[in-house]
Amino acid sequence: MSLKEQIYSVLIVSSYENFNTVLTDMLPPSQYQPVCLTASVNEAKRELAAREFDFIIINSPLPDESGTRFAIDCCHSQTASVLILSRNDIYAEVHAKVVAHGVFTLPKPTTRTMLGQVLYWMASSRERLRKLQQKTCSIEERMEEIRIINRAKCLLISELKMTEPEAHRYIEKTAMDNCVSKRSVAENMITLYS
């Protein structure tokens, strides 16, 4: 899938009108929507409570805090790509604080070209996070299936006095004979013997 086919939701946390105008002009609705603007960390937290975003862009400092802690928290609690822009004189310090948490950093003042490049990096990062999230869901589903099958085996062992290999073979054979999944057979066994 080309990144151009993906539409990204964006949360901009900035109290600077000029920056907001420049950045929103760089986010065409064909690629970025919705684009939500907030002027403080508290407003941004309310937006995040209502929905998830693909990109979170923080223009530091903010009226209620610097934004550094918020950027780190977003990387830990969200699956978004997070960028924080900070003044050039404190950029190295901000970068050192947030880099280990996966936060992108950019010194300001910056250029439209650099902002555009960072948006591409954030898209790449978000797609990587999306794939990891899908993989995690797949692993969790597989683990749940194993738990259900093991529970059914335990019931077969206790109720029908089968050995573990016999219970495993019974579930496997029943699934093959009926052209259904082992999980489906296990769920039926649990319903029958619970």
Side-chain angles (χ1 to χ4, degrees):
M1 167 172 52
S2 168
L3 292 181
K4 291 182 180 180
E5 296 171 9
Q6 186 66 40
I7 296 176
Y8 298 100
S9 56
V10 182
L11 175 62
I12 300 170
V13 188
S14 171
S15 60
Y16 300 93
E17 274 308 310
N18 290 343
F19 175 81
N20 295 347
T21 302
V22 169
L23 187 56
T24 53
D25 287 347
M26 295 178 66
L27 302 172
S30 61
Q31 291 177 282
Y32 304 96
Q33 66 174 304
V35 175
C36 296
L37 290 164
T38 59
S40 69
V41 168
N42 285 330
E43 285 180 47
K45 286 179 179 178
R46 283 192 292 277
E47 286 291 332
L48 288 170
R51 66 161 297 160
E52 288 193 18
F53 290 89
D54 295 309
F55 295 174
I56 300 172
I57 300 172
I58 304 161
N59 188 12
S60 177
L62 296 160
D64 48 354
E65 69 170 77
S66 71
T68 306
R69 179 79 253 158
F70 177 65
I72 292 168
D73 290 346
C74 285
C75 276
H76 289 275
S77 65
Q78 304 288 318
T79 56
S81 290
V82 181
L83 167 69
I84 186 166
L85 292 98
S86 67
R87 291 188 336 255
N88 198 30
D89 60 327
I90 61 168
Y91 171 76
E93 179 185 333
V94 170
H95 178 75
K97 284 181 187 175
V98 301
V99 69
H101 303 280
V103 178
F104 289 100
T105 55
L106 193 62
K108 57 181 189 178
T110 191
T111 64
R112 289 177 69 92
T113 304
M114 183 54 76
L115 270 172
Q117 186 62 48
V118 170
L119 289 171
Y120 287 132
W121 294 342
M122 292 177 75
S124 295
S125 171
R126 180 63 184 109
E127 292 309 312
R128 182 174 175 270
L129 288 170
R130 195 182 314 274
K131 286 182 180 160
L132 288 172
Q133 188 177 24
Q134 290 169 347
K135 189 175 185 180
T136 300
C137 288
S138 173
I139 291 169
E140 288 172 357
E141 288 170 4
R142 180 68 181 127
M143 288 174 59
E144 180 62 21
E145 179 179 324
I146 290 168
R147 280 189 212 99
I148 290 169
I149 292 170
N150 284 341
R151 185 169 172 216
K153 282 189 215 176
C154 288
L155 286 169
L156 289 172
I157 290 167
S158 67
E159 298 296 321
L160 300 180
K161 309 299 182 215
M162 291 183 178
T163 65
E164 195 276 334
E166 289 171 337
H168 180 80
R169 176 73 183 126
Y170 181 78
I171 291 170
E172 214 169 49
K173 183 168 180 5
T174 304
M176 286 191 317
D177 290 348
N178 295 315
C179 297
V180 295
S181 69
K182 290 188 285 185
R183 179 181 181 148
S184 177
V185 170
E187 287 170 340
N188 289 337
M189 299 282 172
I190 291 168
T191 302
L192 182 64
Y193 293 111
S194 288

